[in-house]
Amino acid sequence: MNIVNFLLSSAMSLLAFRSFSIIFVWSIATMEGDNNSIVLGSIIALMWIINLVTLPLSGDLLDRNKKKKILVVSAIFSVIFINVYYMLFYHLQVSYFYLALAASILATTNSIVTSSINSTIPFLTSKEHYTKYIGIATSLNSVQAIVGAILGGGGVAFLGSQLSIIVVSVFYTISLTLLLFVRIRDEKPDSSLHQNFVKRASVGFKILFQLKNEKITCYIAMVTNFILTPMMVVILPLYVANNYNNIAPLAYFEISFAIGMGIGALILSKVDFNTYTRLKPAIAGNMMIGFGIILFSTFELIHLKLLSMMLSGFGLSLIVIATNSVRSFAVPDHFRARLESAIFFLCVITIPIGSQTFGYLIQTFGNDIINPLLLIMGVIVSFSSLAFFLSSHTKKMLLKSNAQLDQIYMKEYPKAFEG
């Protein structure tokens, strides 16, 4: 039951944040005034910048301390600050700056949960089940995205945003409760007390830049996140607000993307990577993300746009499971969280840049630029897949079986883990 409680707790936390995100961005996208594109892009950028600053700290804390302790503290912060947001928005009516700060803390705790999943699963199950449970975690992530979109969009439509935030608070509370029943065994935290924080926090980056295949994979993710995440949290809300004036289509797009993720995770979690390789799903997944964005920009009918979102979501699951499952086998246990945080840091550093850039472009050139912009973005994501072919180290690792990957980074890159 340990891993079940852990996965359910993580899913409930991610569900809460997904619901909150839709409520939050919709309130900004539909606010009165002519600068909502700039405001939305700036707020999303601020949230991710604060998130980035805290990521090295979270990785260091997860590796040097008991993971449950850190996750419980993070869950408590989530419960506190969703209620702080509620008070600020609905009772004190403060400016968006203070709301963005509260939302940023929730985004930070969400990132801690997200980055902790892959580093915690190996302590809750046997090696032969790593890929299975990473696939299940991705499936739950897609399910919570579907339910979160329904609850966020449907909640605003039928309950109003105020009651919807109360529901989100309940989800965070359930997540905390489930986490209290998790027992993480056989941990060996790295107690390198002689190092200062800067040196400890930089360990993950030092390791990352010596692991050539992880570095290439991270670069591809940086390109994808520069485009895909701002598309979901900035461009789509503005597009829906301008073309439909109703939150329902935004929920439909989110749900379609999540259904695609769920199908991809369900299929890949059943693949035996001792028999099949990870290279093809990694390449195909990234190509599907790009093609989905291209098709969204060219289709007029909403039903076809929904299918294109599903294709991108399917592709995202393929590449995430194929690449993330490598680290579950290849990285030494007491370095995994710091490496995950370093990768997550670099992978998301392009999100605030993309959010600000696309918000500015839409504000400057108007909503007519959205489809041409998405077309160009989709082409860029598709072409970034070429990096898999150009990097021999990346292909080499993605072609290895689970058994061959076991602790391979320590064997092939011993200097990366020294000091």
Side-chain angles (χ1 to χ4, degrees):
M1 287 297 292
N2 265 344
I3 194 162
V4 173
N5 286 332
F6 172 73
L7 292 175
L8 288 176
S9 172
S10 300
M12 291 299 293
S13 179
L14 297 175
L15 165 64
F17 185 73
R18 172 68 70 173
S19 302
F20 167 76
S21 297
I22 293 177
I23 298 167
F24 181 57
V25 299
W26 183 252
S27 68
I28 299 170
T30 55
M31 71 180 186
E32 295 181 0
D34 298 325
N35 296 319
N36 54 345
S37 299
I38 291 289
V39 171
L40 180 57
S42 299
I43 287 178
I44 297 299
L46 174 64
M47 289 172 64
W48 281 104
I49 288 170
I50 293 176
N51 197 344
L52 286 168
V53 171
T54 57
L55 268 173
L57 174 62
S58 66
D60 180 64
L61 290 173
L62 285 166
D63 269 342
R64 286 170 48 80
N65 300 275
K66 296 293 186 181
K67 290 179 175 58
K68 180 178 176 178
K69 174 183 175 182
I70 303 303
L71 291 172
V72 167
V73 171
S74 174
I76 291 171
F77 268 78
S78 296
V79 173
I80 291 172
F81 278 93
I82 189 63
N83 288 289
V84 167
Y85 177 89
Y86 177 85
M87 292 298 296
L88 291 175
F89 191 90
Y90 299 105
H91 295 285
L92 300 181
Q93 297 180 338
V94 298
S95 71
Y96 276 104
F97 175 77
Y98 296 103
L99 296 174
L101 288 179
S104 296
I105 294 173
L106 292 173
T108 299
T109 58
N110 183 70
S111 291
I112 292 173
V113 173
T114 302
S115 61
S116 72
I117 294 173
N118 290 335
S119 63
T120 304
I121 284 176
F123 294 100
L124 297 172
T125 187
S126 56
K127 288 183 179 180
E128 59 266 25
H129 294 137
Y130 285 179
T131 303
K132 171 187 174 183
Y133 282 110
I134 288 174
I136 291 174
T138 305
S139 298
L140 287 173
N141 187 34
S142 65
V143 170
Q144 60 79 18
I146 295 170
V147 178
I150 294 172
L151 291 173
V156 171
F158 297 106
L159 299 176
S161 58
Q162 187 170 353
L163 283 177
S164 297
I165 291 294
I166 293 175
V167 173
V168 171
S169 179
V170 171
F171 289 142
Y172 274 127
T173 304
I174 294 172
S175 173
L176 172 59
T177 303
L178 287 168
L179 189 58
L180 296 176
F181 292 95
V182 174
R183 292 182 181 179
I184 303 175
R185 300 183 177 92
D186 300 325
E187 283 191 276
K188 295 179 181 179
D190 181 4
S191 55
S192 304
L193 297 176
H194 61 282
Q195 293 182 329
N196 60 40
F197 168 71
V198 174
K199 288 184 179 179
R200 296 197 312 267
S202 65
V203 167
F205 295 96
K206 171 196 167 188
I207 296 171
L208 173 60
F209 284 111
Q210 293 189 56
L211 305 180
K212 297 178 181 179
N213 61 298
E214 293 290 354
K215 187 167 57 173
I216 295 299
T217 302
C218 191
Y219 291 157
I220 294 171
M222 289 172 72
V223 173
T224 302
N225 282 335
F226 175 78
I227 293 168
L228 185 61
T229 304
M231 173 185 171
M232 300 295 292
V233 299
V234 176
I235 297 176
L236 281 183
L238 293 172
Y239 175 82
V240 170
N242 181 68
N243 289 278
Y244 301 100
N245 198 31
N246 188 320
I247 195 174
L250 179 60
Y252 297 152
F253 289 140
E254 293 266 2
I255 291 168
S256 297
F257 187 85
I259 289 173
M261 283 185 63
I263 295 172
L266 183 63
I267 292 173
L268 215 59
S269 64
K270 296 182 180 298
V271 172
D272 181 4
F273 286 124
N274 281 313
T275 304
Y276 301 95
T277 70
R278 294 171 168 84
L279 182 60
K280 289 181 180 179
I283 295 172
N286 204 60
M287 294 291 291
M288 287 178 185
I289 295 172
F291 286 150
I293 296 172
I294 292 170
L295 293 174
F296 185 93
S297 71
T298 55
F299 287 147
E300 292 295 332
L301 294 176
I302 188 171
H303 297 87
L304 296 178
K305 285 183 178 291
L306 293 174
L307 289 175
S308 70
M309 292 297 296
M310 192 179 300
L311 179 63
S312 287
F314 185 89
L316 183 62
S317 274
L318 295 191
I319 189 171
V320 166
I321 294 175
T323 56
N324 284 5
S325 60
V326 170
R327 293 193 294 277
S328 294
F329 293 94
V331 182
D333 289 343
H334 57 283
F335 288 100
R336 191 176 290 114
R338 278 172 289 185
L339 178 58
E340 290 284 353
S341 290
I343 291 171
F344 199 64
F345 180 96
L346 289 180
C347 288
V348 303
I349 199 170
T350 54
I351 294 176
I353 301 171
S355 299
Q356 189 68 41
T357 300
F358 299 134
Y360 173 79
L361 289 173
I362 294 171
Q363 187 66 45
T364 303
F365 298 102
N367 288 285
D368 290 340
I369 197 178
I370 289 180
N371 281 332
L373 192 60
L374 288 175
L375 176 61
I376 295 170
M377 288 157 54
V379 170
I380 292 172
V381 172
S382 297
F383 271 100
S384 71
S385 304
L386 291 173
F388 284 118
F389 294 102
L390 299 176
S391 171
S392 59
H393 292 277
T394 307
K395 286 194 293 184
K396 176 182 173 183
M397 290 299 172
L398 291 173
L399 287 170
K400 290 187 179 296
S401 66
N402 293 343
Q404 292 171 325
L405 286 172
D406 189 26
Q407 301 296 301
I408 195 171
Y409 287 168
M410 184 67 84
K411 300 170 187 173
E412 296 212 359
Y413 306 97
K415 291 183 179 179
F417 302 96
E418 292 177 355

